[in-house]
Amino acid sequence: MPIIRDAIESDLPAILAITNEAIANTTAVWNNTPATLEARTAWMRERQARGFPVLVATDGGKVLGFASFGDFRPFEGYLHTVEHSIYVAPEAQGRGVGKALLAALVERARALGKHVIVGGIEAGNTASIALHTRAGFVETGRLPEVGQKFGRWLDLVFMQRML
Ligand SMILES: CC(C)(COP(=O)(O)OP(=O)(O)OC[C@H]1O[C@@H](n2cnc3c(N)ncnc32)[C@H](O)[C@@H]1OP(=O)(O)O)[C@@H](O)C(=O)NCCC(=O)NCCS
């Protein structure tokens, strides 16, 4: 089983590589432009400075995946809701890494006194929908054709779990 721990700056090259693989080849992230080490570093510092987790799953010292959450929407009324993301390297998928990261995020969100954790998932992402369904998330919203990638429209599904 992977070890789940808070990310440190030396994890950032692996986090960047996993991010950029997902940008290049998947509809998990609706960007076409590769991320940079500077942008990922700034993102992690900002999350951690605000008390939000950035977690990595490691095995034998190798980073297999990462996960985080932050504001759902940046308005005071949404203070008790967080939106999360999870990425597992292709060669490590299907071995329980995503499940372990998601369970750790739920625990962190509870510990911070959050009330709801929500994920925005591309409707065709069967692995992510299966992961979240198994973890007790339910679909609470579906927005048709709000995004585009690889020359086609994408539907966004929101899945949430009460904490
Ligand atoms: C989605 C993702 C995070 C899942 O992580 P993972 O480590 O591969 O998933 P796990 O091995 O922990 O599986 C968790 C559960 O989901 C199920 N599952 C995972 N992939 C599946 C698939 N392709 N089809 C059906 N079920 C699947 C597993 O069977 C498991 O259920 P179980 O606990 O009942 O056995 C991973 O595939 C990934 O990083 N994909 C690319 C990026 C991405 O899509 N991120 C999510 C953006 S919303």
Side-chain angles (χ1 to χ4, degrees), residues 65-86:
F66 71 95
S68 183
F69 61 69
D71 291 325
F72 173 55
R73 304 188 77 191
F75 302 99
E76 289 166 347
Y78 294 104
L79 179 66
H80 296 97
T81 299
V82 290
E83 180 168 2
H84 68 287
S85 54
I86 302 181

Side-chain angles (χ1 to χ4, degrees), residues 30-41:
W30 298 3
N31 274 338
N32 302 302
T33 310
T36 62
L37 191 58
E38 293 68 30
R40 291 271 77 180
T41 303

Side-chain angles (χ1 to χ4, degrees), residues 119-141:
I121 306 170
E122 192 263 311
N125 189 344
T126 50
S128 185
I129 288 174
L131 164 72
H132 286 88
T133 302
R134 303 281 205 284
F137 285 70
V138 294
E139 179 180 328
T140 48

